[in-house]
Amino acid sequence: MATMTTTAVVSVASCLLALIGSMAAEYSVQQLPSPLSHLGEGPVWDADSQSLYYVDINGAAILRYDYGENKTYSAKIDGVDPISPIILVQGKPSQYVLGAGNKIVLVSWDGRSEKGALVKTLYDLGESQKHVRFNDGKVDPKGRLYAGTMQLETMGDMFQQKEGKLYRFDGKTGGEFHVLKGGVSISNGLTWNEKTNKFYYIDSAALDIKEFDVLENGDLQNETVLYDLRVDGKNPGFVGDGMTDDVDGNLYVATWGGSKLMKINPKTKKIELEISIPAKQVTSAAFGGPQMDELFVTTAHTANQEPPAGALFKVTGLGVKGKAMHKMVLKD
């Protein structure tokens, strides 16, 4: 009898776990009203305005999806092209830090007009770096900007070149840019786990996700490969792109060429869920919404792909919450 009871309990527990797992996977994907971006990227949620900001890199546009209105506004800034990333600024709700080619600039925008204005250049990588542009970037828990570069698409195969770098910028106009990592092909997704003091980073061409320890001054050490995207040592047919994480520390990795996001558990180093997106080139993701439980996803429509490629999407029903995104602290 005891054996039968134990077996029954185990059987019931297994069924419950299976049911919970299937429920967690019952997500839904909705296309939001937005322009089709040539290269949508860099989503960042602003809890204050209940808006999602992102960019169309090659379209040289900054965009704002207004959650309450269910509407997306778009603007261009004269002389700022290409654009990536867009960064929110602490205490300055109508100003944004942008990557503009090989420069970091400050712009102003009211969030509705079709034009924004250049305020000033915060940092210029200079003539020696004219062949690169900024790509992905985010702000750490201390208000510092981490942003990486890649070789310009017009100058050859970005996957073969290693002209990019990952930088840290502490927010003072003209101040020092600290090189955290060199020899990068396409500097891409980045996020932090504040509980474990870990930093996660993607160089798309490396076909993996790196993990670092973060020092007090923001430097990185103890680089390791957290997750290798290769299948049996071979290219899986896609590369890692942008990335975010939830409150439990799980990573959500966009796949350029993979039509999906991968939820990866850093503790087990395994994929827990694949989230299908109706666009081949999935570029990045950010949690948002009033409860921080909706995942916004940017995509691209390069190579004349058909709609909805390039649209902004929202994933609901994941059963998880994201973290508030940090704003940059400017020191002058």
Side-chain angles (χ1 to χ4, degrees):
M1 176 68 85
T3 302
M4 290 178 62
T5 302
T6 301
T7 302
V9 169
V10 171
S11 178
V12 170
S14 298
C15 289
L16 285 173
L17 287 174
L19 178 60
I20 291 171
S22 65
M23 289 175 64
E26 290 178 359
Y27 62 87
S28 63
V29 179
Q30 173 188 356
Q31 180 181 344
L32 298 176
S34 63
L36 293 181
S37 297
H38 181 267
L39 185 48
E41 254 290 7
V44 54
W45 178 257
D46 179 25
D48 295 333
S49 65
Q50 290 291 290
S51 299
L52 183 87
Y53 290 87
Y54 64 107
V55 301
D56 182 350
I57 297 178
N58 295 339
I62 54 177
L63 301 100
R64 182 181 72 89
Y65 170 71
D66 188 299
Y67 189 92
E69 295 181 18
N70 192 33
K71 180 179 179 180
T72 300
Y73 296 88
S74 176
K76 295 197 172 188
I77 302 104
D78 290 340
V80 180
D81 181 9
I83 297 175
S84 188
I86 182 168
I87 302 295
L88 306 179
V89 180
Q90 185 68 46
K92 299 179 183 294
S94 63
Q95 292 192 346
Y96 309 89
V97 170
L98 303 180
N102 70 340
K103 299 177 182 179
I104 296 292
V105 302
L106 182 67
V107 303
S108 63
W109 181 43
D110 63 9
R112 293 179 176 273
S113 304
E114 295 182 356
K115 289 289 249 183
L118 176 64
V119 176
K120 62 179 177 179
T121 296
L122 298 175
Y123 196 87
D124 186 339
L125 291 178
E127 289 295 324
S128 67
Q129 297 295 304
K130 282 290 187 183
H131 62 298
V132 303
R133 68 165 175 83
F134 281 100
N135 193 37
D136 209 349
K138 284 183 182 175
V139 177
D140 78 351
K142 295 189 176 181
R144 302 173 293 204
L145 173 64
Y146 285 59
T149 57
M150 57 178 279
Q151 180 179 278
L152 292 171
E153 292 92 331
T154 56
M155 301 190 67
D157 188 345
M158 301 92 68
F159 288 91
Q160 295 300 319
Q161 306 298 325
K162 296 186 181 296
E163 295 294 318
K165 298 176 183 178
L166 176 65
Y167 298 92
R168 186 186 75 248
F169 178 44
D170 295 337
K172 182 176 176 57
T173 301
E176 187 176 358
F177 252 57
H178 304 274
V179 178
L180 302 178
K181 183 175 174 61
V184 173
S185 292
I186 304 176
S187 188
N188 236 315
L190 59 169
T191 193
W192 294 259
N193 185 324
E194 298 173 40
K195 295 178 182 177
T196 60
N197 197 39
K198 298 292 186 181
F199 172 73
Y200 300 99
Y201 175 68
I202 293 172
D203 172 359
S204 293
L207 291 175
D208 60 26
I209 301 162
K210 299 286 198 315
E211 179 184 78
F212 299 81
D213 292 320
V214 185
L215 299 179
E216 180 65 25
N217 67 353
D219 286 347
L220 306 175
Q221 66 177 12
N222 302 327
E223 175 181 333
T224 60
V225 174
L226 173 78
Y227 189 85
D228 193 328
L229 297 175
R230 296 171 181 83
V231 178
D232 297 326
K234 298 179 180 179
N235 190 314
F238 58 82
V239 300
D241 204 313
M243 173 172 53
T244 191
D245 62 339
D246 61 27
V247 293
D248 298 317
N250 298 300
L251 305 177
Y252 296 76
V253 179
T255 61
W256 177 272
S259 303
K260 63 185 178 183
L261 288 152
M262 300 184 300
K263 177 183 179 181
I264 298 174
N265 186 329
K267 295 178 182 177
T268 63
K269 300 184 179 180
K270 295 184 181 300
I271 296 177
E272 293 195 343
L273 178 66
E274 292 191 344
I275 304 168
S276 296
I277 302 296
K280 185 176 181 180
Q281 294 164 340
V282 185
T283 56
S284 195
F287 279 98
Q291 306 302 319
M292 291 299 294
D293 60 352
E294 301 170 60
L295 188 64
F296 295 90
V297 182
T298 52
T299 64
H301 75 92
T302 60
N304 298 316
Q305 294 180 53
E306 294 296 321
L312 177 67
F313 296 92
K314 180 174 71 172
V315 183
T316 56
L318 292 170
V320 297
K321 289 189 176 185
K323 305 177 302 185
M325 299 186 77
H326 302 288
K327 297 184 179 183
M328 187 175 179
V329 176
L330 293 181
K331 297 182 178 179
D332 54 8

